[in-house]
């Protein structure tokens, strides 16, 4: 009988890649989606169009981390694995809407943990933690033992969810694990995030459809990996006999400026002619440097990143160039 997994945030970048991975491993996959006036399921199109992935094993359920329907859903589905990827995940937006961010990211995690406890199911739980929790970093590189110093409402909400996951693990013996994932990108990254904003702009500028790209802090340094590889680490965490917390990272750091140079340079463009600073994109408090040490994941999960920084940038540029071409030729109607 196929294993059952439940994914919150299944329509997002990580959720869609994780769904594909689990389906390829023979899982029955269930996802929670919010009811909205428009569908936002383009990232799952590959599941339905791939003949090797049986779409009859993918089921979507209306729900929200902000409501009380979780206990009923878990009791009915009885999943063996639960991946909590649902979140308000944009750091800059969290400054504008801290209450909503806290409710979804922090209290939403508690609702899900409590639903597991109340329903009495024996499920393994994965919490999507974030490198943003380190914030004003206390050491370089950051490990599972590095002290947190969050610098945004988003990061604060993730610290709360992290410790609640640890608390439920210690208080109730749950198989509850935190994956502290550093920045991970892909062609499925939302267009509001800086990496996708850059690669999408490269495609549009190359095609003569855009003249300028407005960005915030170009000196911020991040540890960027490939999302498709990072979801495999999530799955590996829940296959361990003992729950624990793991940093997932490449161990390299690159600035936004370096990302610009790589992306525009790959397309034969000089980024300095097109990029301008817009103070609206600056954070009230900045995170200057993030770089993770994934040694523990290498030892215990036998996981390591494979895609290098420049290869990731080129992969994303190529995808956005092709996406624009398909869109202009009328082959698709969505852009992410």
């Amino acid at each position: 009988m196929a294993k059952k997994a439940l994914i919150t945030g299944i329509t997002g970048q990580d959720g869609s890649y994780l769904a594909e991975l689990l389906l390829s491993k023979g899982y029955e996959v269930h996802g929670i989606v919010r009811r909205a006036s428009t569908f936002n399921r383009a990232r799952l199109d590959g599941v339905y169009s791939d003949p090797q992935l049986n779409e009859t094993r993918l089921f979507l359920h209306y729900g929200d981390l902000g409501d009380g329907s979780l206990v009923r859903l878990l009791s009915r589905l009885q999943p063996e694995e639960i991946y909590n990827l649902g979140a308000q995940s944009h750091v800059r937006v969290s400054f504008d809407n801290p209450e909503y961010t806290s409710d979804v990211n922090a209290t939403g995690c508690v609702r899900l943990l409590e639903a597991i406890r109340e329903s009495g199911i024996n499920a393994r739980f994965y919490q999507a933690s974030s490198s943003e929790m380190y914030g004003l970093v206390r050491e370089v590189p950051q490990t599972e033992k590095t002290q947190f110093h969050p610098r945004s409402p988003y990061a604060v909400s993730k610290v709360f969810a992290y410790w609640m996951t640890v608390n439920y693990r210690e208080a109730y013996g749950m198989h509850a694990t935190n994956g502290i994932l550093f920045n991970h990108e892909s062609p499925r990254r939302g267009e509001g995030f800086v990496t996708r904003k850059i690669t999408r702009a490269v495609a549009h500028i190359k095609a003569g459809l855009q003249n300028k790209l407005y960005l915030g802090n170009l000196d911020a340094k991040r540890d960027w990996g490939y999302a498709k590889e990072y979801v495999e680490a999530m799955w590996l965490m829940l296959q361990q006999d003992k729950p624990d917390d793991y940093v997932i990272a490449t161990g390299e750091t690159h600035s936004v400026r370096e990302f610009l140079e790589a992306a525009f340079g790959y397309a034969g463009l000089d980024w300095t002619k097109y990029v301008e600073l817009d103070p609206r994109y600056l954070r009230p408090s900045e995170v200057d440097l993030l770089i993770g040490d994934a040694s523990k994941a290498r030892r215990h999960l036998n996981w390591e990143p494979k895609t290098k920084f420049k290869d990731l940038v080129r992969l994303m540029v190529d995808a956005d160039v092709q996406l624009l071409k398909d869109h202009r030729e009328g082959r698709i109607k969505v852009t992410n």
Side-chain angles (χ1 to χ4, degrees):
M1 194 172 185
K3 263 188 176 182
K4 283 186 187 178
L6 175 66
I7 304 172
T8 69
I10 194 170
T11 59
Q13 169 188 252
D14 293 4
S16 63
Y17 279 125
L18 180 60
E20 289 179 1
L21 175 69
L22 296 178
L23 287 167
S24 73
K25 293 180 178 296
Y27 278 67
E28 179 179 303
V29 177
H30 296 261
I32 296 178
V33 296
R34 289 176 296 161
R35 186 179 293 277
S37 58
T38 57
F39 274 9
N40 181 26
R41 303 179 189 179
R43 295 182 182 92
L44 295 175
D45 285 349
V47 174
Y48 294 106
S49 61
D50 189 338
Q52 294 182 334
L53 299 178
N54 185 350
E55 66 269 21
T56 60
R57 287 185 284 108
L58 174 63
F59 304 90
L60 301 181
H61 308 269
Y62 286 116
D64 198 305
L65 290 171
D67 62 35
S69 63
L70 295 172
V71 174
R72 294 192 302 274
L73 184 62
L74 295 187
S75 297
R76 179 162 59 85
L77 296 180
Q78 298 282 314
E80 285 102 334
E81 297 174 8
I82 298 172
Y83 298 85
N84 185 30
L85 312 184
Q88 190 300 99
S89 57
H90 200 288
V91 175
R92 183 63 190 84
V93 170
S94 76
F95 284 100
D96 299 326
N97 206 337
E99 291 182 24
Y100 175 74
T101 301
S102 300
D103 186 54
V104 174
N105 298 3
T107 313
C109 176
V110 178
R111 291 189 186 103
L112 192 48
L113 286 165
E114 191 64 6
I116 295 170
R117 190 179 73 83
E118 287 188 17
S119 63
I121 63 172
N122 185 24
R124 296 185 174 192
F125 177 79
Y126 172 85
Q127 168 60 24
S129 292
S130 169
S131 59
E132 287 283 335
M133 300 188 303
Y134 295 116
L136 190 64
V137 298
R138 302 305 180 90
E139 63 179 354
V140 177
Q142 294 87 54
T143 72
E144 292 82 3
K145 296 181 179 180
T146 302
Q147 184 179 342
F148 300 139
H149 188 138
R151 299 265 284 173
S152 67
Y154 168 80
V156 172
S157 71
K158 285 293 187 177
V159 170
F160 179 95
Y162 172 94
W163 282 115
M164 287 303 285
T165 300
V166 172
N167 182 257
Y168 272 70
R169 181 170 73 211
E170 295 177 349
Y172 304 114
M174 281 189 187
H175 194 294
T177 288
N178 283 291
I180 308 173
L181 272 58
F182 281 64
N183 291 65
H184 45 290
E185 318 299 316
S186 77
R188 299 183 190 177
R189 189 58 141 153
E191 293 175 4
F193 291 86
V194 66
T195 53
R196 183 72 195 289
K197 193 173 178 181
I198 291 170
T199 60
R200 187 174 182 273
V202 167
H204 282 71
I205 290 170
K206 189 76 173 175
L209 299 175
Q210 185 173 334
N211 296 318
K212 292 292 181 181
L213 170 62
Y214 298 93
L215 296 174
N217 182 9
L218 303 187
D219 297 317
K221 294 182 177 180
R222 295 293 184 268
D223 185 326
W224 277 305
Y226 185 21
K228 192 172 184 178
E229 296 170 358
Y230 280 38
V231 300
E232 184 180 6
M234 300 177 188
W235 175 76
L236 286 168
M237 290 179 209
L238 294 199
Q239 309 318 304
Q240 306 306 303
D241 292 333
K242 181 182 177 183
D244 207 341
D245 308 315
Y246 298 90
V247 162
I248 302 298
T250 69
E252 294 183 10
T253 189
H254 298 274
S255 66
V256 175
R257 193 183 308 274
E258 288 178 80
F259 199 103
L260 281 167
E261 291 171 351
F264 277 80
Y266 178 54
L269 299 169
D270 179 357
W271 71 270
T272 61
K273 294 180 179 179
Y274 303 99
V275 178
E276 292 188 8
L277 177 68
D278 188 335
R280 291 178 301 171
Y281 296 118
L282 296 173
R283 301 180 187 180
S285 52
E286 185 57 78
V287 174
D288 296 317
L289 169 66
L290 292 175
I291 179 171
D293 180 353
S295 298
K296 183 177 177 181
R298 285 187 172 89
R299 291 195 308 270
H300 295 276
L301 307 179
N302 196 29
W303 178 90
E304 61 181 354
K306 300 178 181 68
T307 304
K308 300 298 183 182
F309 172 72
K310 285 189 177 180
D311 293 331
L312 174 62
V313 175
R314 291 172 179 177
L315 183 156
M316 292 178 66
V317 170
D318 285 340
D320 270 321
V321 168
Q322 186 62 48
L323 187 65
L324 179 59
K325 181 181 178 182
D326 290 344
H327 182 65
R328 295 179 79 181
E329 294 178 0
R331 287 198 290 269
I332 55 174
K333 296 181 179 179
V334 293
T335 57
N336 56 352

